[in-house]
Amino acid sequence: MSGADGNAARPVRRRRDLTLLALGVFAGIVAALVPVLSVIAPGAWTVGAVTAAAAVLASGLAVRLARLPALVATLVELVVGVLLLTAIFARSTALLGVIPTPTTLASIPALFSGAAEEIRLGIAPVAAATGLSFVLVAAVTGLAIVLDHVVLTARMPLLAGVGLVAVSLIPTIAIPAAVDVPAVLALAVAILFLLRMDVRSRTRASGPQRRIGPRVWGASATAIGIAAVSVLVTLVAVPLLPQPGLRFASGSGAGFGTTINPNLDLGNDLRQPRNIDVLTVNTTGPSAPYLRAVTLSRFDGAVWQPDSGDTVAVPGDAPVFDPPPVDSDIAVSTTTTTIKVGELDSPWLPVPSPATKVTGLQGEWLGMPDNRTIVSRSGSSRNQEYQVDTTVPRPTLEQIRARSVGGSELGDAVRALPDNVPAIIGDTARSVTAGAQTPYDQLIALQSWFRGSQFRYSLDAPVEAGFDGAGMDAVARFLQERTGYCVHFASAFAVMARTLDMPSRIVVGYLPGTRSGSVEQQGQTDYTVTSSQLHAWPEVYFRGIGWVPFEPTNSLGVPTSFTSGSTGGSSTTTTTPEQRDAATPGATRTDAPQLGDQDGPGATSSGVGAATAQSAVPVLVGIGVVILLLLAAAPGVLRAWRRHSRAPRILAGDAVAAWAEIRAEAVDLGIRAPDAESPRAFAARLVEEHGVDADDVGLAREALERAVYAEDGVDPARGPVLADAVERIRARLRAGASAAGRVRALVLPRSLLLRGEPAPVEAPERVG
């Protein structure tokens, strides 16, 4: 190609390369957003985010194609982003519908507050309202502007890839789940595309010396190698690592802690290898109470939704809720419970039920009269200390058998079922309760059936068999497999009760704590509740009594039962072995879900299962350490491979490879080697400032110039001499560096971040 033709083709290639890089950035943003859809439900915000990213990148590309300065491109993108956000979310307060006014700016804090509340109280996948949609679209717009600058201006696509990977990891951190393989592969392809387009554009832009094939393919091979290792680690190594002992809580408090997941995704919480104390309970009652946090009544066949409704402010001394509407012939008992919360960061407050009065809370808290739960719009349960008064109905066995279920005060949500209920659910419910005469007897039959030898408590079996959830399909599969944990037992019980036309709901909270062994004072006992006692259980509504809890989870908790009034017993629930264990000083509770608890009732090897799980933890930790060491060694190994791959080319007389190795060694040792500096200037600086032999570096520089201008890239005759010169230069540079610098060059070689091969050379001086 003649010089004129080459010059004419350059603008075309430049436009094509810039366009491909912008498309690569857009594809990377879309790929990084795919995992977010598992946490935030797709909707109008998705369209807005994709449109905003495309508009921002298109405006920046137009500026660059017009050959305006890069700063102008960034400023234009900012203006376009602001105008789009204003047009989408604040058109009514904007000038001409797109130009923000002071009123527009004043509405932004309210949007952020709304987004924070949606995140705190929402259930994944959250349906984004206006506030959260604004934050998401604004974040994607800002991400597009930053990545456009990093890739097209700073020409650092690898750094952009790190940012995209970080965005894609946020949903996994928020809600641990299996790796989304298609999303990972799509993101890897997008990042690879960015790297390849950047390498190609640099190769074309730098003149003839860039057309030597092995160097271009070497850069592409390096990019492919990095991507392959990343994908391999994501798909294979990461699942082998032990899960962290603490999950980052989403509440307002800073730091790490445990939280309450209201969408019945409790399996990940219970499978945490570390068991920490979350709160302590001091009660005047005879035993530790269950602590409720959230009730869930609405069920669409896939997800149980937390209850919402009218709220009342939690006052300082006055009762929060009216006493439960209990018939006059039903005995009640009143207790006071003091709760001290530690490592629990949640907007839902654990309280015994039915609560009537809550005092001592710090911050703004609201009570929900319909379910007697306490929630905060902006606060957290962490480090709260409060007192709860409860009034508990104590019917006799005859009284509860005489009561019907349901009531006119209940809504339709507690009875509703989707149309496609699997036949196994209703058929099994009717079969198990066939001999029962009253609703209570039917529910006790269900409870006893679940707690019988046919079922087994397991945290892992639902994951392995693929039914780790609370939806209708998971319930049907659970009734077939007959192994699961509290979510499966509670969901199955509640749905089966509804098939029998009984109003039911699910409660998320904590099992009764373990007696701490502290000295009793004034008839009160201290109990400790741990993170492993997070629990779910069903409730059914009885007329004149209220919501009665049941405990179907096999081998856990306190099964519901009542004493007969004709035997002279009091109207309290029957004392069970679990209650006696909880009240015995120093006793070990067997009713808390323990890691690795795979054994059914009556089995003698439950300790073996826990021991096996505990012994597996060091193995997983060891695997994780090995993987981390391998990742730490990866840069050094990659640099050694690159040096080794250049050696035969240098020995064959490849002057460009020789100069690239000299430059890489200098960069590894902390010596500046900017792209804008010519080889002559760089060679002179190596001689003057770093003591490199002038003949050696002069030989390498002259060979490079001949290779570039004579298009004689490889000269076998000069290969051995050139290779010896390169080794002497490397040895001199290492000798002049400090010990720390040499170690840093070995472990974290900076040359891996070089954005290309040597800069354009100056034409050699001509004499005469």
Side-chain angles (χ1 to χ4, degrees), residues 49 95 110 115 210 214 230 261 310 357 374 383 393 438 585 643 734 739:
L95 185 63
R210 301 284 185 160
S230 301
N261 195 331
D310 296 335
K357 183 178 180 181
I374 309 293
N383 298 326
T438 68
R643 184 185 303 115
R734 287 197 302 271

Side-chain angles (χ1 to χ4, degrees), residues 318-394:
V320 179
F321 308 118
D322 294 331
V326 180
D327 288 347
S328 59
D329 61 329
I330 303 293
V332 297
S333 64
T334 302
T335 61
T336 299
T337 303
T338 301
I339 301 173
K340 297 179 181 179
V341 180
E343 296 298 323
L344 175 62
D345 198 348
S346 169
W348 289 276
L349 197 70
V351 294
S353 187
T356 56
K357 183 178 180 181
V358 181
T359 57
L361 288 173
Q362 302 298 318
E364 297 182 3
W365 293 84
L366 300 173
M368 296 185 182
D370 289 342
N371 55 17
R372 297 177 184 267
T373 58
I374 309 293
V375 66
S376 173
R377 300 301 185 189
S378 59
S380 168
S381 61
R382 184 189 290 272
N383 298 326
Q384 294 280 352
E385 182 175 352
Y386 51 97
Q387 297 76 41
V388 183
D389 292 344
T390 57
T391 301
V392 183
R394 302 293 188 184

Side-chain angles (χ1 to χ4, degrees), residues 125-418:
V126 177
T130 303
L132 186 54
S133 296
F134 169 78
V135 171
L136 291 169
V137 176
V140 174
T141 303
L143 179 66
I145 295 172
V146 171
L147 292 183
D148 177 85
H149 178 81
V150 170
V151 174
L152 278 84
T153 301
R155 305 306 292 269
M156 301 176 69
L158 193 57
L159 180 59
V162 173
L164 291 171
V165 170
V167 171
S168 68
L169 288 178
I170 292 175
T172 304
I173 296 173
I175 300 180
V179 176
D180 187 345
V181 177
V184 171
L185 293 178
L187 183 59
V189 169
I191 295 174
L192 267 178
F193 179 80
L194 276 178
L195 293 174
R196 183 66 186 95
M197 289 302 100
D198 183 72
V199 169
R200 191 174 76 165
S201 64
R202 290 177 185 280
T203 303
R204 287 172 170 170
S206 299
Q209 78 275 18
R210 301 284 185 160
R211 291 199 292 266
I212 300 173
R215 198 152 12 275
V216 177
W217 286 110
S220 298
T222 300
I224 293 173
I226 293 173
V229 170
S230 301
V231 172
L232 183 65
V233 169
T234 302
L235 300 181
V236 178
V238 171
L240 296 177
L241 294 175
Q243 296 184 9
L246 299 176
R247 295 178 61 192
F248 189 73
S250 60
S252 61
F256 286 85
T258 186
T259 187
I260 295 175
N261 195 331
N263 62 353
L264 292 186
D265 185 18
L266 306 185
N268 289 318
D269 299 271
L270 296 176
R271 280 186 287 268
Q272 300 297 313
R274 289 183 57 191
N275 188 23
I276 62 172
D277 295 345
V278 293
L279 56 89
T280 58
V281 176
N282 181 284
T283 180
T284 59
S287 61
Y290 277 63
L291 300 175
R292 75 173 55 217
V294 189
T295 62
L296 305 95
S297 299
R298 291 169 293 162
F299 182 54
D300 60 5
V303 177
W304 288 87
Q305 298 284 351
D307 294 335
S308 59
D310 296 335
T311 59
V312 296
V314 177
D317 298 319
V320 179
F321 308 118
D322 294 331
V326 180
D327 288 347
S328 59
D329 61 329
I330 303 293
V332 297
S333 64
T334 302
T335 61
T336 299
T337 303
T338 301
I339 301 173
K340 297 179 181 179
V341 180
E343 296 298 323
L344 175 62
D345 198 348
S346 169
W348 289 276
L349 197 70
V351 294
S353 187
T356 56
K357 183 178 180 181
V358 181
T359 57
L361 288 173
Q362 302 298 318
E364 297 182 3
W365 293 84
L366 300 173
M368 296 185 182
D370 289 342
N371 55 17
R372 297 177 184 267
T373 58
I374 309 293
V375 66
S376 173
R377 300 301 185 189
S378 59
S380 168
S381 61
R382 184 189 290 272
N383 298 326
Q384 294 280 352
E385 182 175 352
Y386 51 97
Q387 297 76 41
V388 183
D389 292 344
T390 57
T391 301
V392 183
R394 302 293 188 184
T396 63
L397 178 60
E398 291 80 10
Q399 287 173 328
I400 196 169
R401 277 179 170 167
R403 260 60 179 186
S404 61
V405 294
S408 58
E409 65 274 20
L410 303 178
D412 296 333
V414 294
R415 293 181 181 271
L417 284 173

